[in-house]
Amino acid sequence: MSVCNRYASDDNRSVAEFSTSGQTQGNMSSYVSESGFDSSSDGYNHKRKLDSSIRDQDVAKREQKAVNRSKLLVASFLLLAACATVAATYIYIEQRDRNVFEDEFHSLATEIDIVTRQKTDQLFNALNSFSIGVSSEAKATNQQWPFVSISDWSAKAQSLGELVGVPEATMAFCPVVDPASIDQWLLHTNEDAPVYYQDRIDSAGWNTTAAELMGKTTPFIHYYDLENANKFMLSQETALPIWQVYPSMIEPTSQRTYTNYDLMSVKQFSELFYLTNATLNPTIGFSDMMIEESEVRPLVTSQIMQPVFKTTDTRAEDREMAGLIYLTMEWTTYFENFFTEETDAITLVLRNTCPRYNVLDEHDEQQIVSEEEGVVSYEINGPEATFLGEYDAHSPKYDALELTSILVDPDVDSSAIPSGQCLTKISLHLYPTEKFEESFYTLKRYIYAGVVLAIFVFTSLVFLLYDYFVGKRQRKVMDRIMMQDQIVAHVFPTAIRERLYDGMGKSGNGDGNFIDPLDINDEPDKVSSVAPMADLFPNTTIIFADIVGFTAWSSAREPQQVFTLLETIYAAFDRVAYRHNVFKVETVGDSYVAAAGLPEPMEEHAVAACKFARDCVKKMKEITLKLEVSLGPDTSDLRLRVGIHSGQVTAGVLRGERSRFQLFGDTMNTAARMESTGRPSSIQISQTTADLLKEGGFANMIIPRGQKTLVKGKGEMQTYWLRSSHSKRAKSKDTANRIESTIFEEETAEGSFSSSDDNGAESDLFDMNGVESMNKTERLVEWNVEVLSSLLQQIVTSRGGSRKSIKPLRAVESNIRSGQTILEEFVPIIQLKRPEGDLPNRLQRSNSMEVGDDVKSELRSFLSEIAAMYTDSNPFHNFEHASHVTASVKKLLKRIVNVDTGNGLTQQNANTEVNMVDLAGHSYGITSDPLTQFAVVFSAIIHDADHPGVPNAQLVKEGAPNAELYKNKSVAEQNSVDIAWNLLMKEEYESVRGCIYQTAEELRRFRQLVVNTVMATDIVDKELQALRKKRWETAFSEKVQQATSSGGEESEESEDRKATIVIEHLIQASDVAHTMQHWYIYKSWNEKFFCECYKAYKSGRSDVDPSINWYKGEIGFFDFYVIPLAKKLDDCGVFGVSSHEYLNYATANRDEWKREGEQLVTSFVRRFVEKEKGISRDMISKSLHG
């Protein structure tokens, strides 16, 4: 039936149907719903491994047969050599004795196993029958649960124990009493307990009366407080009272009876009860009991709880447990008296799968002995069973003769077992003993041992040597085959891979000519004997997906971060593709290509492709939101742009170098055009695909694009947008027009990947509600927390993990400033900490010590307050920009220590061999001191806190209070240090400070690093600039560099000067990092900075219109600051490839700005004006409706 005919009666299938219908054929016969995403992932990986392992197994079998034949040949030779002289006689005698021994053991062990399992089955069957009898009696006598008593209890319990072979077992009937029935239980006890007592007195022949026993009975459900003189406590919750017991829980001479004692007060019994109630099946427990008679004697017991139901139908779906039969038996007694006299010296081992309990006596609380599997051993000697101990007592040399069986294995669905509970399974293991074996052997075999010893040793060595070389060869072959097959499995679909293998086999001698194409130049008259593998697939849908903004985003990231993003996203897409039976064709850079309808034809290929694309867009949003915490700012701004087209394609294996399964045809080109002309976070589909969706009844899932799309090579095409399955709004024409006009007709700046989360129209297409609760600022705070906490871990590790109170440093903290301004604290050279001995190498080898959740919590609170200090209305000087600067600092610091696995900013291969002491010298000591690295990153986060959005000169001109306070120098920078430092000094952040510094010297060094680093961001102050230039020339002049390279010793002062300069230039480069990154990043931040300056001008806080000189000013900024700064990063020689990368981007951005800058400034002004008008309209509207 065609798609058209199948849905001809329903042209408007619902949105919900689109989400759940269209289950694909083939491998998707059992469609996995979206709610089972994790299990789908496991199935996806399992299927791939299963497919790729089939051929591996075939090859392995063939190779193993060859190896076995070789081994057989050598073994035959060894056998002939060893059989010379008297070896044959020795082997015959030994083997005969061995066979007799094994046969006899097997026979006896089988008998023990059969008898034991029969007895166990009989025990459980008898308990089940007894349980049914209790239910039947309660129903027949109209007794209401839980107020049920069993008539002739003692006789019935005694008969049951004798029947199943455990006459000494203790049995009890315990009804389940809910809280509402506890008070009524008192009346039931007073009425029915005397009857039960009289029955027990008559059967046991006690010299007492029921009234006397009632006087010793607590009439309500209770338990005993063992720590308070055994005083009883009243049970208030669901109880499991002991009601009727056999044989000896009532002692006439004792001061109390155990009637109404609540088994739920004992941990083991309560756990067994919950397990029994959950599974509605009998359960068994395992415990140790120490019995004090003449001496302490250990016993291993089991407790069985057999549920008693209100109905006699124990298999009824609605059965409800009303009580239980509780039985305690001792295993030593259990194994006695039912084995024959011939069963001598056989080791019996019981294993149970749950923790074992220990009880000092039957009145004490129980303690868990071990969380591991319980093991006990016995020795069977005829009718006697001897307890050996709580361990596996068998000899390992008899492992091969082990006879094992499952003694107790409740037939319970694992999903019925409550979380945290353990369902006991007991297995029986039988082994012979040395005593048993020795009774079957004679001494004749030793007579010939000396004769054959030399021959055996020689032949064995030859065999082992031969086997070693054969095995080595086989392993190499198999490893090679498995690696090749894994590679092929990742390149070709299963069906194509099998055809490839078949084609290789048919090609004759396996010379690979199926993969290698025919060279016409060499053999012009010869036609390939094997035709190309290619097929026409007439009904397919092609999906092209591209990550918008990826190129710009990756320019600011480390390679590891780039691959982390791509691997995470593509792995998620692979799982989505598996769920929808969509075939992944390839990934090219940040583009993902997939197809539905091949290599296995699919009737609803268009529906599957659209569902796949829709889920990928949603998954992209979820992943980027979560990864922003680890990959840093702007990650959540990445968007997926998808294009879909349906039609026929030619697919096959294109022979030649790096052969793979490829698709060709106009459908591929059109799908690519659908993607390239689409919009971020949207799915554009062609008319053909839209028609297929309409035929399938999904017309309401598409929105026509308002204007036709101009497609290269196609002209104008009518295209559609795919609507989200989560939309609950009315799908009217007006809504479609609103979506079209607000989202898709006006494109943002070319290459922009700014977030459109606040756009209501886009949310109509893809509603991400509930994906991530944190807003962008909170995610940035979390990312900064991870960055700083990793560095704090290194600081703590460098001290050996010691942390002491810093309260003695409060006076130093209070007087750290000493009446100076922040700028006056600036020093030309900071004395960094020198590595102590082999400290850098020890840091590399040791694991980082965790700082603790309290420190992370304080750090999160501190950074949240810092984020709040940034002015949200500032387009440029805001917390997002501070995080962008921090990301650049992190990247540059990582490049300094790019081989330092001990550094908190990087994790490299643990096998990398690097002398960290030499590295510390190469980086002027920066790598040897985690406190220095922390201070620089900390400074990047706080350097623009409370920035007013205008330059320092304007603050001085306006006479701002801070300007006078800071003597009209570096006003904003000094204010940022002050407010951030005062916040850090608050009492609630004492734990964070305790990780940063422990001594006054560390506190002063941290303060100095923060002051110098933040002050370095003031690039306008001419005095500071001149000082930095002079220090650079002193530290990195050609003479100094030549002296250092020629092997001259460098003083500590010289190293500290260079380190100070490197840190200052590092923060300066990071502060303008957008100028040295991808063009679109530069363009985005440049517009934000322009808007901030233009806003100041429009508000009267600046006399100069920035739009007049912005174009030329940027060129000058590149020529006289950015490019020289990038060259200095290269000249100082510690940043590796990042210095070249920054310089290349700076030069490229300068050239691009020179070409496009004037037009961009015009667009900056236009968008600013349009935005201001929009804000004004909103304010007027709110006032009118207020």
Side-chain angles (χ1 to χ4, degrees), residues 1147-1159:
T1147 304
N1149 288 338
R1150 192 262 187 203
D1151 295 339
E1152 191 74 18
W1153 176 261
K1154 189 174 182 179
R1155 288 190 296 270
E1156 301 183 16
E1158 291 180 313
Q1159 295 179 356

Side-chain angles (χ1 to χ4, degrees), residues 330-342:
E330 201 274 308
W331 284 101
T332 303
T333 306
Y334 186 79
F335 291 124
E336 289 179 347
N337 300 322
F338 65 96
F339 296 136
T340 65
E341 292 293 339
E342 298 179 358

